[in-house]
């Protein structure tokens, strides 16, 4: 008779809400092991006895559910208890915290059942199982059990309860399990009978008919409301744009399948994989020409954000009968259900109140959303034909990814980085994990601040975090900064330390956090603007930095921003500023007639006059402002109706077969300065010679790359450093980043960039929190 071994196993990671306990149960049954498995506030705890424990441990690590993510496994011998069975025990509140799973798109099994007329969940908009469905958006607290979710109010019928308790069923311990008899229900509300149900048999059929008729519908989804309309209906899209946005900001579209997306955009193998992944993000794709959808979806933009349906309700909007029939729509606009720059709306009453001027009807349901979450947006870079080596970068990290943790490889104190004001996120650090929040938005109003506080309260409760220190941006007028400085003590009365972190230093630190770097690196941070330690606006920065601090080693030459914030909204002003810097008193000899015709000589003279007055025209070294200026000089975009519009439109004009660049002046002094004045003069010369806009735009991008490589090469020699970190919103530019990485491949350095968080300001909170944590650990705070 073999000796009986006995072990206690504690597993941490994303191991709740992903079918981990049923997996362990069935594995133990297969190996004839006894004991139990349970959820705790730390993760999953297993007490197991038997003769095949080595095999059990190996298979737990290698065969765990596909949606799980094991971060650590702690094993300790225990005294045999003499279990007679293996069971799943009720969850325990014991422990510190466990990681919460993000929401997961509908799986293939549930999708098949959704359109199976013989299945009891046929056309049920809330079908789910252990392998898919809502997680983060319905979770109120941990451990992840039905009683701790918004599904608590729905008592399972006998059939659902039997599935829930059957270890052989894939709905075994699926917390959102439900059916038409016992679960949430969908309904349609119309403005003509405001807040009253339509007298209809099928809300889904009526919603489809309204969309076909050119109407706009507010659709309550997984993490909030979408505003939807037929993307092929130009009048409907224009109406939505006028009602909601009044800007050129592109809408995202949802298509019924990959084939529909490939008819609209070019789709590589890697892009296909990401589109179809369980996270189902929006993927930025290159439009096919001529354009299939109305240009009103994404004006002046060569790319289009596309996604596949990720909930059963979405699929039912496209398919009236089954997946084999033709979908009712080639694509639907699916944009966040909010007013401009406000948080996505999750509550029906709030939606009916605030979205009434926008939506013609509301397709809603009675399953509460606890955590509002926008769609994630990603972009593929460095595409390879076989998709090997291809990477995607986040533009927005939210549904499907939040609140996935970023491992920091060692324990540390609880801290909070509260981010910047544009594209705000915050990052909690608990133990050895950084937990970035979902996309919060632009901190331009107190509704967004309320969302920030609501999400912070939810995540600190879920992770049982008690930050002892808060990091914030140096900009004195940021609402995030003001909020941080108001936090004097925690709920227990303990004093909270606050520390400001320079904007671009935090950008580079976000990459350091992802890669576990602490020693000195060359950091290249290119964005629009960030508050510098000297009180000016930085944005084209080369920093020598480690966790203790940074040295500003190089930057783009300062230019005035005539009218300050007005110049950011009107890039033609910055174009005048760059022209003046390049030509001095000879401005009118160089300025193009078509530029004068667009803006008028008097207005241009006004800009020239105020550009020398610092109270009206602060200095900026922002790389993003340089892209704005060139976009305006080329007549591509004079006015930013949304953040980054001019630079995005400029990128849309680049072509792949141009390799020339323009001259750029790099002054190698104690503080290296990169002056693009000669570049501007050559651009004017090319315009005078009627060189194609696409060629000029591409040469300009190549010039920026040339300047970056030249400065980095010099700094690498000066400081004997070979790790180069890239961050900042400018590196969202696919052409720029890809060509830059290709150029760096010929240099003696290793290049790192953001992969776990966006390189734009949404990644800043991670860098803030990481620096603060490491400094506390070193005793320097």
């Amino acid at each position: 008779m073999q000796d009986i071994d006995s072990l206690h196993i504690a597993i941490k990671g994303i191991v709740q809400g992903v079918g981990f306990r049923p997996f362990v149960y069935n594995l133990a049954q297969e190996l004839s092991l006894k004991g139990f498995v349970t959820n705790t506030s730390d993760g999953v705890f297993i007490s197991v006895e038997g003769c095949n424990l080595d095999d059990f441990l190996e298979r737990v690590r290698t065969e765990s559910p596909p949606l799980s993510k094991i971060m650590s496994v702690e094993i300790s011998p225990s005294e045999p208890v003499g279990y007679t069975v293996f069971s799943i025990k009720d969850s325990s509140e014991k422990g510190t915290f466990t990681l919460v799973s993000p929401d997961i798109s509908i799986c293939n099994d549930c999708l098949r059942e959704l359109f199976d007329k013989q299945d009891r969940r046929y056309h049920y908009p809330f079908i789910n199982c252990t392998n898919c469905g809502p997680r983060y958006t319905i979770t109120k607290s941990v451990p992840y059990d039905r009683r701790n979710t918004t599904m608590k109010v729905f008592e399972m019928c006998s059939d659902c309860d039997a599935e829930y308790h059957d270890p052989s069923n894939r709905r075994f311990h699926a917390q959102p399990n439900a059916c038409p008899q016992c679960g949430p229900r969908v309904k349609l509300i119309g403005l003509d009978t405001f807040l009253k149900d339509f007298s209809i048999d099928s809300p889904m059929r009526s919603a489809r008919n309204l969309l076909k008729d050119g109407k706009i519908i507010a659709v309550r989804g997984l993490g909030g409301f979408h505003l939807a309309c037929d993307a092929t209906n130009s009048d409907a899209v224009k109406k939505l744009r006028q009602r909601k946005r009044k800007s050129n900001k592109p809408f995202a579209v949802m298509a019924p399948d990959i084939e529909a997306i490939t008819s609209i955009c070019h789709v590589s193998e890697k892009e296909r994989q990401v589109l179809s992944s369980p996270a189902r993000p929006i993927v930025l794709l290159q439009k096919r020409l001529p354009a299939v959808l109305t240009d009103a979806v994404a004006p002046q933009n060569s790319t289009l954000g596309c996604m596949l349906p990720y909930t059963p309700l979405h699929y039912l909007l496209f398919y009236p009968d089954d997946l084999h029939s033709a979908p009712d729509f080639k694509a639907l606009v699916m944009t966040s259900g909010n007013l401009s720059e406000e948080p996505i709306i999750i509550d029906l009453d709030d939606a009916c109140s605030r979205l009434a001027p926008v939506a013609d009807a509301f397709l809603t349901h009675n399953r509460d959303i606890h955590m509002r979450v926008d769609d994630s947006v990603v972009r593929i870079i460095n595409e390879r034909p076989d998709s090997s080596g291809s990477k995607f970068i986040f533009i927005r990290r939210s549904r499907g990814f939040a609140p996935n943790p970023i491992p920091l490889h060692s324990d540390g104190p609880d801290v909070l980085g509260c981010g910047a004001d544009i594209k705000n996120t915050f990052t909690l650090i608990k133990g050895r994990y950084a937990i970035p929040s979902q996309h919060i938005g632009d901190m331009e109003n107190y509704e967004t601040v309320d969302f920030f506080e609501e999400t912070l309260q939810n995540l600190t409760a879920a992770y049982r975090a008690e930050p002892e220190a808060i990091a914030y941006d140096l900009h004195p007028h940021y609402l995030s900064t003001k909020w941080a400085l108001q936090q004097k003590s925690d709920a227990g009365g303990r004093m909270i330390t606050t520390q400001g972190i320079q904007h671009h230093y935090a950008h580079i630190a976000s990459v350091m956090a992802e890669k576990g770097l602490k020693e000195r690196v060359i950091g290249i941070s290119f964005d629009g603007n960030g508050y510098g330690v000297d009180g000016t606006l930085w944005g084209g920065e080369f920093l020598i930095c480690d966790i203790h601090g940074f040295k500003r080693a190089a930057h783009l030459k300062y230019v005035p921003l005539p009218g300050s914030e007005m110049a950011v909204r009107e890039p033609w002003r910055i174009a005048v500023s760059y022209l003046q810097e390049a030509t001095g008193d000879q401005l009118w000899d160089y300025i193009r007639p078509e530029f004068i015709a667009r803006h008028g000589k008097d207005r241009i003279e006004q800009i020239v006059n105020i550009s020398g007055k610092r109270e009206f025209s602060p200095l900026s070294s922002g790389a993003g402002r340089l892209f704005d200026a060139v976009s305006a000089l080329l007549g591509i975009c004079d006015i930013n109706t949304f953040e980054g519009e001019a630079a995005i439109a400029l990128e849309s004009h680049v072509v792949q077969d141009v390799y020339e660049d323009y001259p750029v002046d790099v002054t190698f002094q104690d503080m290296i300065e990169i002056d693009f004045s000669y570049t501007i003069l050559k651009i004017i010369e090319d315009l005078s010679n009627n060189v194609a806009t696409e060629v000029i735009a591409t040469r300009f991008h190549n010039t920026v790359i040339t300047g970056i490589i030249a400065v980095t090469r010099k700094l690498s020699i000066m400081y004997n450093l070979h790790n180069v970190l890239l961050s900042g919103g400018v590196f969202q530019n696919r052409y720029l980043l890809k060509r830059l990485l290709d150029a760096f491949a010929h240099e003696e350095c290793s290049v790192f960039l953001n992969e776990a968080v966006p390189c734009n300001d949404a990644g800043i909170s991670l860098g803030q929190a990481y620096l603060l944590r490491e400094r506390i650990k070193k005793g320097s705070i």
Side-chain angles (χ1 to χ4, degrees):
M1 181 176 178
Q2 289 181 292
D3 291 336
I4 299 296
D5 293 323
S6 181
L7 296 175
H8 285 170
I9 306 165
I11 302 176
K12 294 183 178 181
I14 299 175
V15 289
Q16 295 189 13
V18 292
F20 206 91
R21 287 180 299 171
F23 157 71
V24 171
Y25 174 90
N26 287 314
L27 180 59
Q29 295 289 84
E30 178 186 337
L31 298 176
S32 300
L33 304 177
K34 314 300 180 187
F36 69 87
V37 59
T38 185
N39 278 346
T40 73
S41 295
D42 274 335
V44 165
F45 177 79
I46 305 168
S47 179
V48 61
E49 297 176 0
C51 302
N52 299 305
L53 297 192
D54 287 343
D55 189 19
F56 176 76
L57 289 170
E58 176 64 20
R59 293 178 66 181
V60 163
R61 289 189 174 99
T62 60
E63 299 178 13
S64 58
L67 301 179
S68 66
K69 189 174 184 179
I70 296 175
M71 300 291 193
S72 67
V73 179
E74 297 178 4
I75 304 168
S76 58
S78 61
E79 290 295 322
V81 175
Y83 298 115
T84 58
V85 297
F86 195 92
S87 64
I88 296 180
K89 283 193 173 184
D90 290 340
S91 299
S92 167
E93 298 287 346
K94 293 179 180 178
T96 53
F97 75 101
T98 192
L99 300 172
V100 180
S101 169
D103 302 287
I104 305 299
S105 66
I106 183 173
C107 68
N108 288 334
D109 288 330
C110 284
L111 187 59
R112 175 180 49 78
E113 292 172 350
L114 179 66
F115 290 101
D116 181 354
K117 292 182 179 180
Q118 306 306 312
D119 194 278
R120 69 189 189 93
R121 291 186 176 87
Y122 175 65
H123 279 194
Y124 181 53
F126 306 98
I127 188 172
N128 69 87
C129 70
T130 306
N131 299 319
C132 69
R135 298 292 189 272
Y136 179 51
T137 52
I138 64 171
T139 300
K140 290 184 171 182
S141 62
V142 294
Y144 177 71
D145 287 321
R146 195 180 183 96
R147 69 177 187 273
N148 294 328
T149 73
T150 60
M151 287 297 295
K152 177 183 178 181
V153 298
F154 299 99
E155 183 176 350
M156 284 184 283
C157 66
S158 58
D159 287 338
C160 288
D161 189 67
E163 293 170 333
Y164 184 87
H165 289 97
D166 179 2
S168 65
N169 194 292
R170 78 173 196 280
R171 294 187 170 92
F172 184 43
H173 282 253
Q175 305 308 331
N177 190 29
C179 74
Q181 302 304 314
C182 64
R185 298 187 179 185
V186 68
K187 64 179 179 179
L188 188 68
I189 295 171
L191 291 183
D192 54 344
T193 53
F194 197 60
L195 293 183
K196 294 182 179 179
D197 293 2
F198 281 141
S199 55
I200 52 177
D201 294 328
S202 171
M204 299 306 304
R205 186 189 311 119
S206 296
R208 288 192 297 269
N209 289 337
L210 286 170
L211 289 168
K212 290 177 186 177
D213 197 36
K215 297 296 190 291
I216 298 167
I217 297 184
V219 181
R220 195 183 196 192
L222 204 57
F225 277 88
H226 281 114
L227 290 166
C229 70
D230 183 352
T232 65
N233 186 325
S234 180
D235 290 339
V237 177
K238 289 176 181 177
K239 181 170 61 176
L240 175 57
R241 184 168 295 284
Q242 178 61 29
R243 289 181 181 180
K244 183 203 174 186
R245 194 156 269 169
K246 297 181 176 65
S247 77
N248 295 325
K249 190 172 184 179
F251 290 134
V253 300
M254 178 180 285
D257 52 35
I258 286 287
E259 287 67 31
I261 293 180
T262 56
S263 73
I264 298 168
C265 295
H266 298 281
V267 183
S268 69
E269 180 57 33
K270 180 62 175 182
E271 288 165 339
R272 180 186 294 262
Q273 291 172 13
V274 176
L275 281 164
S276 305
S277 69
R280 294 284 170 96
I282 296 169
V283 180
L284 296 185
L285 303 170
Q286 199 72 23
K287 289 179 183 175
R288 287 191 181 276
L289 296 176
V292 176
L293 303 182
T294 170
D295 188 57
V297 173
Q300 297 189 70
N301 204 319
S302 63
T303 63
L304 183 65
C306 298
M307 61 179 159
L308 290 171
Y310 54 86
T311 70
L313 186 146
H314 291 146
Y315 274 102
L316 293 173
L317 279 176
F318 284 102
Y319 294 98
D321 297 312
D322 58 60
L323 291 173
H324 301 295
S325 60
D328 278 3
F329 306 97
K330 178 180 285 289
L332 293 173
V333 166
M334 281 281 181
T335 187
S336 298
N338 57 4
L339 299 180
S340 183
E341 310 309 332
E342 291 186 359
I344 188 171
I345 294 171
I346 59 174
D347 178 73
L348 175 59
D349 291 340
D350 194 23
C352 289
S353 171
R354 302 181 70 80
L355 298 180
V358 183
D360 298 307
F362 296 80
L363 185 64
T364 186
H365 57 78
N366 59 337
R367 184 182 69 200
D368 284 346
I369 299 169
H370 185 64
M371 299 286 268
R372 67 185 86 208
V373 180
D374 266 297
D375 294 313
S376 293
V377 184
V378 305
R379 190 173 202 178
I380 309 301
I381 58 166
N382 250 19
E383 185 68 68
R384 298 286 188 266
D386 61 355
S387 83
S388 64
S390 302
K391 296 179 180 178
F392 71 76
I393 59 171
F394 284 103
I395 308 299
R396 183 167 73 201
R397 182 185 185 272
S398 213
R399 177 192 51 77
F401 298 96
N404 274 346
I406 298 170
L408 298 180
H409 312 295
S410 62
D411 282 319
D414 292 8
V415 299
L416 169 68
C418 58
D421 268 19
I422 303 298
K423 298 179 175 64
N424 178 265
T425 67
F426 64 79
T427 295
L428 276 174
I429 293 185
K430 174 74 177 181
R432 61 178 61 226
Y433 302 112
I435 303 110
S437 73
Q438 68 268 37
H439 170 75
I440 301 296
D442 294 349
M443 300 278 268
E444 296 180 352
N445 50 65
Y446 284 98
E447 289 84 1
T448 310
V449 176
D450 286 344
F451 177 29
F452 175 99
E453 293 182 325
E454 164 195 306
T455 308
L456 178 61
Q457 181 179 0
N458 289 339
L459 279 179
T460 51
Y463 288 106
R464 302 185 180 182
E466 297 180 355
E468 64 181 70
I470 300 175
Y472 58 89
D473 194 274
L474 292 180
H475 200 301
H477 301 307
Y478 276 1
L479 286 180
S480 56
T481 297
K482 294 177 180 179
W483 181 90
L485 293 174
Q486 291 170 357
Q487 312 308 307
K488 305 298 183 184
S489 60
D490 62 16
R494 184 182 57 172
M495 295 300 295
I496 294 178
T497 301
T498 56
Q499 184 170 71
I501 303 289
Q502 200 279 325
H503 189 92
H504 303 93
Y505 181 28
H507 265 308
I508 301 306
S510 68
V511 186
M512 295 173 70
E514 288 190 33
K515 310 306 176 186
L517 301 173
K518 299 179 183 180
E519 305 305 320
R520 288 205 309 171
V521 299
I522 299 171
I524 306 173
S525 181
F526 274 28
D527 64 4
N529 288 314
Y531 199 79
V533 295
D534 58 359
T536 62
L537 299 174
W538 295 6
E541 310 305 314
F542 293 76
L543 309 177
I544 306 300
C545 50
D546 57 21
I547 60 170
H548 303 292
F550 73 92
K551 175 184 177 181
R552 191 186 193 198
H555 63 81
L556 270 60
K557 183 182 179 181
Y558 284 111
V559 296
L561 298 183
S564 190
E565 286 299 316
M566 189 63 74
V568 178
R569 291 190 289 272
E570 299 182 4
W572 71 270
R573 293 170 175 248
I574 310 173
V576 172
S577 191
Y578 264 99
L579 271 171
Q580 188 179 17
E581 288 294 313
T583 62
D585 295 336
Q586 297 177 305
L587 171 68
W588 295 104
D589 294 335
Y590 285 87
I591 198 163
R592 296 290 302 154
E594 60 270 22
F595 192 91
I596 298 173
R598 292 202 308 273
H599 305 293
K601 187 172 182 179
D602 289 345
R603 290 188 73 197
I604 294 171
E605 285 180 339
Q606 290 173 3
I607 297 305
V608 171
N609 290 335
I610 67 170
S611 65
K613 300 175 181 179
R614 290 292 77 82
E615 64 270 29
F616 302 120
S617 304
L619 294 175
S620 167
S621 63
R625 303 290 78 88
L626 172 63
F627 281 75
D628 285 351
V630 173
S631 186
L633 281 175
L634 297 185
I636 294 172
C637 182
D638 286 325
I639 305 294
N640 275 327
T641 65
F642 65 92
E643 197 241 344
E645 179 178 1
I648 291 170
L650 179 65
E651 182 192 355
S652 292
H653 283 74
V654 299
V655 290
Q656 298 300 317
D657 56 352
V658 173
Y659 297 94
E660 304 92 358
D661 57 14
Y662 295 119
V664 58
D665 186 18
V666 180
T667 306
F668 293 110
Q669 299 176 344
D670 288 342
M671 175 72 74
I672 298 173
E673 186 176 80
I674 307 130
D675 184 355
F676 284 90
S677 294
Y678 290 118
T679 306
I680 298 298
L681 293 176
K682 282 294 184 181
I683 287 173
I684 296 299
E685 182 180 317
D686 274 355
L687 284 171
S688 300
N689 292 330
N690 296 316
V691 175
T693 300
E694 291 77 10
V695 173
I696 300 174
T698 310
R699 287 174 177 172
F700 165 71
H701 280 74
N702 295 344
T703 305
V704 174
I705 293 166
T706 299
I708 290 174
I709 293 295
V711 173
T712 305
R713 189 180 293 146
K714 180 68 173 180
L715 293 177
S716 179
I717 295 170
M718 288 173 60
Y719 294 94
N720 192 28
L721 295 174
H722 303 284
N723 283 340
V724 178
L725 280 55
L726 308 177
S727 191
V730 168
F731 293 119
Q732 293 174 144
N733 183 313
R734 179 177 179 176
Y735 178 90
L736 181 78
L737 183 56
K738 182 182 183 303
R739 286 284 181 97
L740 184 59
L741 293 176
D742 289 345
F744 269 125
H746 301 288
E747 303 294 319
E748 294 182 359
C749 60
S750 299
V751 180
F752 303 91
L753 56 148
N754 292 111
E755 295 179 71
V757 296
C759 64
N760 59 42
D761 281 8
I764 277 181
S765 64
L766 173 61
Q768 292 171 338
Y770 180 67
L771 290 173
L772 184 60
R773 172 188 189 261
E774 293 303 315
R775 290 176 179 183
I776 292 174
K777 287 172 64 176
K778 297 288 185 181
S780 56
I781 294 181

